[in-house]
Coordinates of all heavy atoms in Angstrom, one line a residue:
M535 N 1.2 -14.5 1.7 CA 2.1 -14.5 2.8 C 2.7 -13.2 3.0 O 3.0 -12.5 2.0 CB 3.2 -15.6 2.6 CG 2.6 -17.0 2.7 SD 3.8 -18.2 2.2 CE 3.1 -18.6 0.6
R536 N 2.9 -12.8 4.2 CA 3.4 -11.5 4.5 C 4.7 -11.7 5.3 O 4.8 -12.4 6.3 CB 2.4 -10.7 5.4 CG 2.8 -9.3 5.6 CD 1.7 -8.5 6.2 NE 1.0 -9.2 7.3 CZ -0.2 -8.9 7.7 NH1 -0.9 -7.9 7.2 NH2 -0.8 -9.6 8.7
V537 N 5.9 -11.2 4.7 CA 7.2 -11.5 5.4 C 7.7 -10.3 6.2 O 8.8 -10.4 6.8 CB 8.2 -11.9 4.3 CG1 7.8 -13.2 3.6 CG2 8.5 -10.8 3.3
G538 N 7.0 -9.2 6.3 CA 7.3 -8.1 7.1 C 8.3 -7.1 6.5 O 8.6 -7.1 5.3
L539 N 8.9 -6.3 7.3 CA 9.8 -5.2 6.9 C 11.2 -5.8 6.6 O 11.7 -6.7 7.3 CB 10.0 -4.2 8.0 CG 8.7 -3.4 8.4 CD1 9.0 -2.5 9.6 CD2 8.1 -2.7 7.3
G540 N 11.8 -5.3 5.5 CA 13.1 -5.7 5.1 C 13.6 -5.0 3.9 O 12.8 -4.3 3.2
P541 N 14.8 -5.3 3.5 CA 15.3 -4.7 2.3 C 14.8 -5.4 1.0 O 14.3 -6.5 1.1 CB 16.8 -4.9 2.4 CG 16.9 -6.1 3.2 CD 15.8 -6.1 4.2
T542 N 14.9 -4.7 -0.1 CA 14.4 -5.3 -1.4 C 14.9 -6.7 -1.6 O 14.1 -7.5 -2.0 CB 14.7 -4.3 -2.5 OG1 14.2 -3.1 -2.3 CG2 14.2 -4.9 -3.9
P543 N 16.2 -7.0 -1.4 CA 16.6 -8.4 -1.7 C 15.9 -9.4 -0.9 O 15.7 -10.6 -1.3 CB 18.1 -8.4 -1.3 CG 18.5 -6.9 -1.5 CD 17.3 -6.1 -1.1
L544 N 15.3 -9.0 0.3 CA 14.5 -10.0 1.1 C 13.2 -10.4 0.3 O 12.8 -11.5 0.4 CB 14.1 -9.4 2.4 CG 13.2 -10.2 3.3 CD1 13.8 -11.6 3.6 CD2 12.8 -9.5 4.6
L545 N 12.7 -9.4 -0.5 CA 11.5 -9.8 -1.3 C 11.9 -10.9 -2.3 O 11.2 -11.9 -2.5 CB 11.1 -8.5 -2.1 CG 10.0 -8.7 -3.2 CD1 8.7 -9.2 -2.6 CD2 9.8 -7.5 -4.0
Y546 N 13.0 -10.7 -3.0 CA 13.4 -11.7 -4.0 C 13.7 -13.1 -3.3 O 13.4 -14.1 -3.8 CB 14.7 -11.2 -4.8 CG 14.4 -9.9 -5.5 CD1 15.0 -8.8 -5.1 CD2 13.5 -9.9 -6.5 CE1 14.8 -7.6 -5.8 CE2 13.2 -8.7 -7.2 CZ 13.9 -7.5 -6.8 OH 13.6 -6.4 -7.5
F547 N 14.4 -13.0 -2.2 CA 14.7 -14.2 -1.4 C 13.4 -14.9 -1.0 O 13.2 -16.1 -1.1 CB 15.5 -13.9 -0.2 CG 15.7 -15.0 0.8 CD1 16.7 -16.0 0.5 CD2 15.0 -15.2 1.9 CE1 16.9 -17.1 1.3 CE2 15.2 -16.3 2.8 CZ 16.2 -17.2 2.5
A548 N 12.4 -14.2 -0.4 CA 11.2 -14.7 0.0 C 10.4 -15.4 -1.1 O 9.9 -16.5 -1.0 CB 10.3 -13.7 0.7
Q549 N 10.4 -14.7 -2.2 CA 9.6 -15.3 -3.4 C 10.2 -16.6 -3.8 O 9.5 -17.6 -4.0 CB 9.6 -14.3 -4.6 CG 8.8 -14.7 -5.8 CD 9.7 -15.5 -6.8 OE1 10.8 -15.1 -7.1 NE2 9.1 -16.6 -7.3
K550 N 11.5 -16.7 -3.9 CA 12.2 -18.0 -4.3 C 12.1 -19.0 -3.2 O 11.7 -20.2 -3.4 CB 13.6 -17.7 -4.6 CG 13.8 -17.1 -6.0 CD 15.2 -17.3 -6.4 CE 15.4 -16.8 -7.8 NZ 14.9 -17.7 -8.8
H551 N 12.4 -18.6 -1.9 CA 12.4 -19.6 -0.8 C 11.0 -20.2 -0.6 O 10.8 -21.4 -0.3 CB 12.9 -18.9 0.5 CG 12.9 -19.8 1.7 ND1 13.9 -20.7 1.8 CD2 12.0 -19.9 2.7 CE1 13.6 -21.4 2.9 NE2 12.5 -20.9 3.5
L552 N 10.0 -19.3 -0.7 CA 8.6 -19.8 -0.5 C 7.9 -20.4 -1.7 O 6.8 -20.8 -1.7 CB 7.7 -18.7 0.1 CG 8.2 -18.1 1.4 CD1 7.4 -16.8 1.7 CD2 8.0 -19.1 2.5
D553 N 8.7 -20.4 -2.8 CA 8.2 -20.9 -4.1 C 6.9 -20.2 -4.5 O 5.9 -20.8 -5.0 CB 8.0 -22.4 -4.1 CG 7.9 -23.0 -5.5 OD1 8.4 -22.3 -6.5 OD2 7.2 -24.0 -5.7
A554 N 6.8 -18.9 -4.2 CA 5.6 -18.1 -4.5 C 5.6 -17.7 -6.0 O 6.7 -17.5 -6.6 CB 5.6 -16.8 -3.6
D555 N 4.5 -17.5 -6.6 CA 4.4 -17.1 -8.0 C 4.9 -15.7 -8.1 O 5.4 -15.3 -9.2 CB 2.9 -17.2 -8.5 CG 2.4 -18.6 -8.6 OD1 3.2 -19.5 -8.8 OD2 1.2 -18.8 -8.4
A556 N 4.7 -14.8 -7.1 CA 5.0 -13.4 -7.2 C 5.2 -12.8 -5.9 O 4.8 -13.4 -4.9 CB 4.0 -12.7 -8.1
G557 N 5.7 -11.6 -5.8 CA 5.8 -10.9 -4.6 C 5.7 -9.4 -4.8 O 6.1 -8.9 -5.9
V558 N 5.2 -8.7 -3.9 CA 5.1 -7.2 -4.0 C 5.5 -6.6 -2.7 O 5.3 -7.1 -1.6 CB 3.6 -6.8 -4.2 CG1 3.4 -5.3 -4.3 CG2 3.1 -7.4 -5.5
M559 N 6.2 -5.4 -2.7 CA 6.6 -4.7 -1.5 C 6.3 -3.2 -1.7 O 6.5 -2.7 -2.8 CB 8.0 -5.0 -1.1 CG 9.0 -4.2 -1.8 SD 10.8 -4.5 -1.3 CE 10.8 -4.4 0.4
I560 N 5.9 -2.6 -0.7 CA 5.8 -1.1 -0.7 C 7.2 -0.6 -0.2 O 7.7 -1.0 0.8 CB 4.7 -0.6 0.3 CG1 3.4 -1.3 0.0 CG2 4.6 0.9 0.3 CD1 2.8 -1.1 -1.4
T561 N 7.7 0.3 -1.0 CA 9.1 0.7 -0.7 C 9.0 2.1 0.0 O 8.1 2.9 -0.2 CB 9.9 0.9 -2.0 OG1 9.3 1.9 -2.9 CG2 10.0 -0.4 -2.8
G562 N 10.0 2.3 0.8 CA 10.2 3.6 1.4 C 11.6 4.1 0.9 O 12.4 3.3 0.4
S563 N 11.7 5.4 0.9 CA 12.9 6.0 0.3 C 13.5 7.0 1.2 O 12.8 7.6 2.0 CB 12.6 6.6 -1.1 OG 13.7 7.3 -1.6
H564 N 14.8 7.1 1.1 CA 15.5 8.2 1.9 C 15.2 9.5 1.1 O 15.5 10.6 1.6 CB 17.0 7.9 2.0 CG 17.7 7.8 0.7 ND1 17.7 6.7 -0.1 CD2 18.4 8.7 0.0 CE1 18.4 6.9 -1.2 NE2 18.8 8.1 -1.2
N565 N 14.7 9.5 -0.1 CA 14.3 10.7 -0.8 C 12.9 11.1 -0.4 O 12.3 10.5 0.4 CB 14.3 10.3 -2.3 CG 15.7 10.0 -2.8 OD1 16.6 10.8 -2.6 ND2 15.8 8.9 -3.5
P566 N 12.4 12.2 -0.9 CA 11.1 12.7 -0.6 C 10.0 11.6 -0.9 O 10.2 10.7 -1.7 CB 10.9 13.9 -1.5 CG 12.3 14.4 -1.8 CD 13.1 13.1 -1.8
P567 N 8.8 11.7 -0.2 CA 7.8 10.7 -0.3 C 7.3 10.3 -1.7 O 6.9 9.2 -1.9 CB 6.7 11.2 0.6 CG 7.3 12.2 1.5 CD 8.5 12.7 0.8
E568 N 7.4 11.3 -2.6 CA 6.9 11.0 -3.9 C 7.8 10.0 -4.7 O 7.4 9.5 -5.7 CB 6.8 12.3 -4.8 CG 8.1 13.0 -5.0 CD 8.3 14.1 -4.0 OE1 7.7 14.1 -2.9 OE2 9.1 15.0 -4.3
Y569 N 8.9 9.6 -4.1 CA 9.8 8.6 -4.7 C 9.5 7.2 -4.1 O 10.2 6.3 -4.5 CB 11.2 9.0 -4.5 CG 11.6 10.2 -5.4 CD1 11.7 11.4 -4.8 CD2 11.7 10.1 -6.7 CE1 12.0 12.6 -5.5 CE2 12.0 11.2 -7.5 CZ 12.2 12.4 -6.9 OH 12.4 13.5 -7.7
N570 N 8.6 7.1 -3.1 CA 8.3 5.8 -2.6 C 7.5 5.1 -3.7 O 7.0 5.7 -4.6 CB 7.4 5.9 -1.3 CG 8.2 6.5 -0.2 OD1 9.5 6.5 -0.2 ND2 7.5 7.0 0.8
G571 N 7.3 3.8 -3.6 CA 6.6 3.1 -4.6 C 6.4 1.7 -4.3 O 6.3 1.3 -3.1
I572 N 6.3 0.9 -5.3 CA 6.0 -0.6 -5.2 C 7.1 -1.3 -6.0 O 7.4 -0.9 -7.1 CB 4.7 -0.9 -5.8 CG1 3.6 -0.2 -5.0 CG2 4.4 -2.4 -5.9 CD1 2.2 -0.4 -5.5
K573 N 7.6 -2.4 -5.5 CA 8.5 -3.3 -6.2 C 7.8 -4.6 -6.4 O 7.1 -5.1 -5.4 CB 9.8 -3.6 -5.4 CG 10.6 -2.3 -5.2 CD 12.0 -2.5 -5.6 CE 12.7 -1.2 -5.3 NZ 13.9 -1.0 -5.9
M574 N 7.9 -5.2 -7.6 CA 7.2 -6.4 -7.8 C 8.2 -7.4 -8.4 O 9.1 -7.0 -9.1 CB 6.1 -6.2 -8.9 CG 5.0 -5.3 -8.4 SD 3.7 -4.9 -9.7 CE 4.6 -3.6 -10.6
V575 N 8.0 -8.7 -8.1 CA 8.8 -9.8 -8.7 C 7.9 -10.9 -9.1 O 6.9 -11.2 -8.4 CB 9.9 -10.2 -7.6 CG1 9.2 -10.8 -6.4 CG2 10.8 -11.3 -8.2
V576 N 8.1 -11.4 -10.2 CA 7.4 -12.6 -10.7 C 8.5 -13.7 -11.0 O 9.7 -13.3 -11.2 CB 6.6 -12.3 -12.0 CG1 6.0 -13.5 -12.6 CG2 5.6 -11.2 -11.7
R577 N 8.1 -14.9 -11.0 CA 9.1 -16.0 -11.1 C 10.3 -15.7 -11.9 O 11.4 -16.1 -11.5 CB 8.4 -17.2 -11.6 CG 7.5 -17.9 -10.6 CD 7.2 -19.3 -10.9 NE 6.3 -19.9 -10.0 CZ 6.7 -20.4 -8.8 NH1 8.0 -20.5 -8.5 NH2 5.8 -20.9 -8.0
G578 N 10.2 -15.0 -12.9 CA 11.4 -14.7 -13.8 C 12.3 -13.6 -13.3 O 13.3 -13.4 -13.8
G579 N 11.8 -12.8 -12.3 CA 12.6 -11.7 -11.8 C 11.8 -10.5 -11.6 O 10.6 -10.5 -11.5
P580 N 12.5 -9.3 -11.5 CA 11.7 -8.1 -11.2 C 10.8 -7.7 -12.4 O 11.0 -8.0 -13.5 CB 12.9 -7.0 -11.1 CG 14.1 -7.6 -11.7 CD 13.9 -9.1 -11.7
V581 N 9.7 -7.0 -12.0 CA 8.8 -6.5 -13.0 C 9.1 -5.0 -13.2 O 9.2 -4.2 -12.3 CB 7.3 -6.6 -12.4 CG1 6.3 -6.0 -13.3 CG2 7.0 -8.1 -12.1
Y582 N 9.2 -4.7 -14.5 CA 9.6 -3.3 -14.9 C 9.2 -3.0 -16.3 O 8.8 -3.9 -17.0 CB 11.1 -3.0 -14.6 CG 12.0 -3.8 -15.5 CD1 12.5 -3.4 -16.7 CD2 12.3 -5.1 -15.0 CE1 13.3 -4.2 -17.5 CE2 13.2 -5.9 -15.8 CZ 13.6 -5.4 -17.0 OH 14.5 -6.2 -17.7
G583 N 9.3 -1.8 -16.7 CA 9.1 -1.3 -18.1 C 7.7 -1.7 -18.7 O 6.7 -1.4 -18.1
D584 N 7.8 -2.5 -19.8 CA 6.5 -2.8 -20.5 C 5.6 -3.7 -19.6 O 4.4 -3.7 -19.8 CB 6.9 -3.6 -21.8 CG 7.4 -2.6 -22.9 OD1 7.2 -1.4 -22.8 OD2 8.1 -3.1 -23.8
Q585 N 6.2 -4.5 -18.7 CA 5.4 -5.4 -17.9 C 4.5 -4.5 -17.0 O 3.4 -4.9 -16.7 CB 6.3 -6.3 -17.0 CG 7.1 -7.3 -17.8 CD 8.2 -7.9 -16.9 OE1 9.0 -7.3 -16.3 NE2 8.2 -9.3 -16.9
I586 N 5.1 -3.4 -16.4 CA 4.3 -2.5 -15.6 C 3.2 -1.9 -16.4 O 2.0 -1.8 -16.0 CB 5.2 -1.5 -14.9 CG1 6.1 -2.2 -13.9 CG2 4.3 -0.4 -14.3 CD1 7.1 -1.3 -13.2
L587 N 3.5 -1.5 -17.7 CA 2.5 -0.9 -18.5 C 1.3 -1.9 -18.8 O 0.2 -1.5 -18.8 CB 3.1 -0.4 -19.8 CG 4.1 0.7 -19.7 CD1 4.8 1.0 -21.1 CD2 3.5 2.0 -19.1
E588 N 1.7 -3.2 -19.0 CA 0.7 -4.2 -19.2 C -0.2 -4.4 -18.0 O -1.4 -4.6 -18.1 CB 1.4 -5.5 -19.6 CG 0.4 -6.7 -19.8 CD -0.6 -6.5 -20.9 OE1 -0.5 -5.6 -21.8 OE2 -1.5 -7.3 -21.0
I589 N 0.4 -4.4 -16.8 CA -0.4 -4.5 -15.6 C -1.4 -3.3 -15.5 O -2.5 -3.5 -15.1 CB 0.5 -4.5 -14.3 CG1 1.3 -5.8 -14.3 CG2 -0.3 -4.3 -13.0 CD1 2.4 -5.9 -13.3
G590 N -0.9 -2.1 -15.8 CA -1.8 -0.9 -15.8 C -2.9 -1.1 -16.8 O -4.1 -0.7 -16.6
R591 N -2.6 -1.6 -18.0 CA -3.6 -1.9 -19.0 C -4.7 -2.8 -18.5 O -5.9 -2.6 -18.7 CB -3.0 -2.4 -20.3 CG -4.0 -2.5 -21.5 CD -3.5 -3.3 -22.6 NE -3.3 -4.7 -22.3 CZ -4.3 -5.6 -22.0 NH1 -5.6 -5.2 -22.1 NH2 -4.1 -6.9 -21.7
V592 N -4.3 -3.9 -18.0 CA -5.2 -5.0 -17.5 C -6.1 -4.4 -16.3 O -7.3 -4.6 -16.3 CB -4.4 -6.2 -17.0 CG1 -5.3 -7.2 -16.2 CG2 -3.8 -6.9 -18.2
A593 N -5.4 -3.7 -15.4 CA -6.2 -3.1 -14.3 C -7.2 -2.0 -14.8 O -8.3 -2.0 -14.4 CB -5.2 -2.4 -13.3
G594 N -6.7 -1.2 -15.8 CA -7.6 -0.2 -16.3 C -8.8 -0.8 -17.1 O -9.9 -0.2 -17.1
A595 N -8.6 -2.0 -17.6 CA -9.7 -2.7 -18.3 C -10.7 -3.4 -17.4 O -11.7 -4.0 -17.8 CB -9.1 -3.6 -19.4
G596 N -10.3 -3.4 -16.1 CA -11.2 -4.1 -15.1 C -11.0 -5.6 -15.2 O -11.9 -6.3 -14.8
D597 N -9.9 -6.1 -15.7 CA -9.7 -7.5 -15.9 C -9.0 -8.2 -14.8 O -7.9 -8.7 -14.9 CB -8.9 -7.7 -17.2 CG -8.9 -9.2 -17.7 OD1 -9.7 -10.0 -17.2 OD2 -8.0 -9.5 -18.5
Q598 N -9.6 -8.1 -13.6 CA -9.0 -8.6 -12.4 C -9.7 -10.0 -12.0 O -10.8 -10.2 -12.3 CB -9.2 -7.7 -11.2 CG -8.4 -6.4 -11.3 CD -9.3 -5.3 -11.9 OE1 -10.5 -5.4 -12.0 NE2 -8.6 -4.2 -12.2
E599 N -8.9 -10.8 -11.3 CA -9.4 -12.0 -10.7 C -10.2 -11.7 -9.4 O -9.9 -10.7 -8.8 CB -8.3 -13.0 -10.4 CG -7.5 -13.5 -11.7 CD -8.4 -14.4 -12.5 OE1 -9.2 -15.1 -12.0 OE2 -8.3 -14.3 -13.8
T600 N -11.1 -12.5 -9.1 CA -11.8 -12.4 -7.8 C -11.6 -13.7 -7.0 O -11.3 -14.7 -7.6 CB -13.3 -12.1 -8.0 OG1 -13.9 -13.1 -8.7 CG2 -13.5 -10.8 -8.8
G601 N -11.9 -13.6 -5.7 CA -11.8 -14.8 -4.9 C -11.4 -14.4 -3.5 O -11.3 -13.2 -3.1
A602 N -11.3 -15.4 -2.7 CA -11.0 -15.2 -1.3 C -9.6 -15.8 -1.0 O -9.1 -16.6 -1.7 CB -12.0 -16.0 -0.4
G603 N -8.9 -15.2 -0.1 CA -7.6 -15.7 0.3 C -7.4 -15.6 1.8 O -8.3 -15.3 2.5
Q604 N -6.1 -15.7 2.1 CA -5.8 -15.6 3.5 C -4.4 -15.0 3.6 O -3.6 -15.0 2.7 CB -5.8 -17.0 4.2 CG -4.8 -18.0 3.6 CD -4.8 -19.3 4.3 OE1 -5.4 -19.5 5.4 NE2 -4.2 -20.3 3.7
I605 N -4.1 -14.4 4.8 CA -2.8 -13.9 5.0 C -2.1 -14.7 6.1 O -2.7 -14.9 7.2 CB -2.9 -12.4 5.5 CG1 -3.5 -11.5 4.4 CG2 -1.5 -11.8 5.9 CD1 -3.8 -10.1 4.8
R606 N -0.9 -15.1 5.9 CA 0.0 -15.7 6.9 C 1.2 -14.9 7.0 O 1.8 -14.5 6.1 CB 0.3 -17.1 6.4 CG -0.8 -18.1 6.6 CD -0.3 -19.6 6.3 NE 1.1 -19.7 6.0 CZ 1.6 -20.6 5.1 NH1 0.7 -21.4 4.5 NH2 2.8 -20.7 4.9
D607 N 1.6 -14.7 8.3 CA 2.8 -14.0 8.6 C 4.0 -15.0 8.7 O 3.8 -16.0 9.4 CB 2.7 -13.2 9.9 CG 1.8 -12.0 9.7 OD1 1.9 -11.3 8.7 OD2 1.0 -11.7 10.6
I608 N 5.0 -14.8 7.9 CA 6.2 -15.6 7.9 C 7.4 -14.8 8.1 O 7.7 -13.9 7.4 CB 6.3 -16.4 6.6 CG1 5.1 -17.3 6.5 CG2 7.6 -17.3 6.6 CD1 5.0 -18.1 5.1
D609 N 8.2 -15.0 9.2 CA 9.4 -14.3 9.5 C 10.6 -15.0 8.9 O 11.0 -16.0 9.4 CB 9.5 -14.1 11.0 CG 10.7 -13.1 11.3 OD1 11.4 -12.7 10.4 OD2 10.7 -12.7 12.5
L610 N 11.1 -14.5 7.8 CA 12.3 -15.1 7.1 C 13.6 -14.3 7.4 O 14.6 -14.6 6.8 CB 12.0 -15.1 5.6 CG 10.9 -16.0 5.1 CD1 10.7 -15.8 3.6 CD2 11.2 -17.4 5.5
R611 N 13.5 -13.3 8.2 CA 14.7 -12.4 8.4 C 15.9 -13.2 8.9 O 17.0 -13.0 8.3 CB 14.4 -11.3 9.4 CG 13.4 -10.3 8.7 CD 12.9 -9.2 9.7 NE 12.2 -9.9 10.8 CZ 11.6 -9.2 11.8 NH1 11.7 -7.9 11.8 NH2 10.9 -9.9 12.7
D612 N 15.8 -14.0 9.9 CA 17.0 -14.8 10.3 C 17.5 -15.7 9.3 O 18.7 -15.8 9.0 CB 16.6 -15.6 11.6 CG 16.4 -14.7 12.8 OD1 16.9 -13.5 12.8 OD2 15.9 -15.2 13.8
L613 N 16.6 -16.4 8.5 CA 17.1 -17.3 7.5 C 17.7 -16.5 6.3 O 18.7 -16.9 5.8 CB 15.9 -18.0 6.9 CG 16.1 -19.1 5.9 CD1 17.1 -20.2 6.5 CD2 14.8 -19.8 5.5
Y614 N 17.2 -15.3 6.0 CA 17.8 -14.4 5.0 C 19.2 -14.0 5.4 O 20.1 -14.1 4.6 CB 16.8 -13.2 4.8 CG 17.4 -12.2 3.9 CD1 17.7 -12.4 2.6 CD2 17.8 -10.9 4.5 CE1 18.2 -11.4 1.8 CE2 18.4 -9.9 3.7 CZ 18.6 -10.1 2.3 OH 19.1 -9.2 1.6
V615 N 19.3 -13.6 6.7 CA 20.6 -13.1 7.1 C 21.6 -14.3 7.1 O 22.8 -14.1 6.7 CB 20.5 -12.5 8.6 CG1 21.9 -12.2 9.2 CG2 19.8 -11.2 8.5
E616 N 21.2 -15.5 7.6 CA 22.1 -16.6 7.5 C 22.5 -16.9 6.1 O 23.7 -17.2 5.9 CB 21.3 -17.9 8.1 CG 21.1 -17.9 9.6 CD 20.3 -19.0 10.0 OE1 20.2 -20.0 9.3 OE2 19.7 -18.9 11.1
R617 N 21.6 -16.8 5.2 CA 22.0 -17.1 3.8 C 23.0 -16.0 3.3 O 23.9 -16.4 2.6 CB 20.7 -17.1 2.9 CG 20.9 -17.3 1.5 CD 21.4 -18.7 1.2 NE 21.6 -18.9 -0.2 CZ 20.7 -19.4 -1.0 NH1 19.5 -19.8 -0.6 NH2 20.9 -19.6 -2.3
C618 N 22.7 -14.8 3.6 CA 23.7 -13.7 3.2 C 25.0 -14.0 3.8 O 26.0 -13.8 3.1 CB 23.1 -12.4 3.6 SG 21.7 -11.8 2.7
C619 N 25.1 -14.3 5.0 CA 26.4 -14.5 5.7 C 27.1 -15.7 5.1 O 28.3 -15.7 4.9 CB 26.2 -14.7 7.2 SG 25.7 -13.1 8.0
A620 N 26.4 -16.8 4.8 CA 26.9 -18.0 4.3 C 27.5 -17.7 2.9 O 28.6 -18.2 2.5 CB 25.9 -19.1 4.2
T621 N 26.8 -16.9 2.1 CA 27.3 -16.5 0.8 C 28.5 -15.7 0.9 O 29.5 -15.8 0.1 CB 26.2 -15.7 0.0 OG1 25.0 -16.6 0.0 CG2 26.6 -15.4 -1.4
M622 N 28.6 -14.8 1.8 CA 29.8 -13.9 2.0 C 31.0 -14.7 2.5 O 32.1 -14.3 2.1 CB 29.4 -12.8 3.0 CG 28.4 -11.8 2.5 SD 27.9 -10.6 3.7 CE 29.4 -10.0 4.4
T623 N 30.8 -15.8 3.2 CA 32.0 -16.5 3.8 C 32.3 -17.7 3.0 O 33.3 -18.4 3.3 CB 31.7 -16.9 5.2 OG1 30.5 -17.7 5.3 CG2 31.5 -15.6 6.1
A624 N 31.5 -18.1 2.0 CA 31.7 -19.3 1.2 C 33.0 -19.1 0.3 O 33.2 -18.0 -0.2 CB 30.5 -19.6 0.3
P625 N 33.8 -20.1 0.2 CA 35.0 -20.0 -0.6 C 34.6 -20.0 -2.1 O 33.6 -20.5 -2.5 CB 35.8 -21.3 -0.3 CG 34.8 -22.2 0.3 CD 33.7 -21.4 0.9
A626 N 35.4 -19.3 -2.9 CA 35.1 -19.2 -4.3 C 35.3 -20.5 -5.0 O 36.2 -21.2 -4.6 CB 36.0 -18.1 -5.0
T627 N 34.5 -20.9 -5.9 CA 34.6 -22.1 -6.6 C 34.9 -21.9 -8.1 O 34.7 -20.9 -8.6 CB 33.4 -23.0 -6.5 OG1 32.3 -22.3 -7.0 CG2 33.2 -23.4 -5.1

């Protein structure tokens, strides 16, 4: 599923809301282009450190899955903004 352009927290929201196994986004930066990159999330949270090294090891070994898939565009921006606003205005418990 492709959720379109948005901030990094939208990636985390989309992964949970859609009950997806994982999510990936290409990042842009206000810094020079060499600081652009990829953010990844798996059910347990963001992917970083040793997890990224393991992905590199698996990819380098050619141990990829094959198959066919499909792309669906899903616009979650309004739902994401509603959720953010509701969280900001909810009374503390």
Side-chain angles (χ1 to χ4, degrees):
M535 288 170 258
R536 186 169 46 198
V537 298
L539 299 175
T542 301
L544 176 60
L545 171 67
Y546 301 112
F547 174 79
Q549 184 267 316
K550 285 196 174 282
H551 180 77
L552 298 170
D553 196 29
D555 291 331
V558 176
M559 81 181 309
I560 306 301
T561 64
S563 175
H564 61 280
N565 293 311
E568 62 267 20
Y569 293 103
N570 293 342
I572 297 174
K573 297 228 183 201
M574 298 175 278
V575 61
V576 177
R577 287 201 180 272
V581 176
Y582 61 94
D584 289 340
Q585 294 169 306
I586 291 175
L587 296 174
E588 177 64 10
I589 291 168
R591 187 196 65 72
V592 169
D597 191 15
Q598 295 94 8
E599 295 293 324
T600 60
Q604 62 181 348
I605 297 174
R606 283 189 359 218
D607 291 317
I608 298 176
D609 188 350
L610 294 175
R611 291 174 295 183
D612 288 343
L613 186 59
Y614 170 70
V615 170
E616 287 175 22
R617 177 68 179 267
C618 289
C619 290
T621 301
M622 291 173 48
T623 59
T627 57

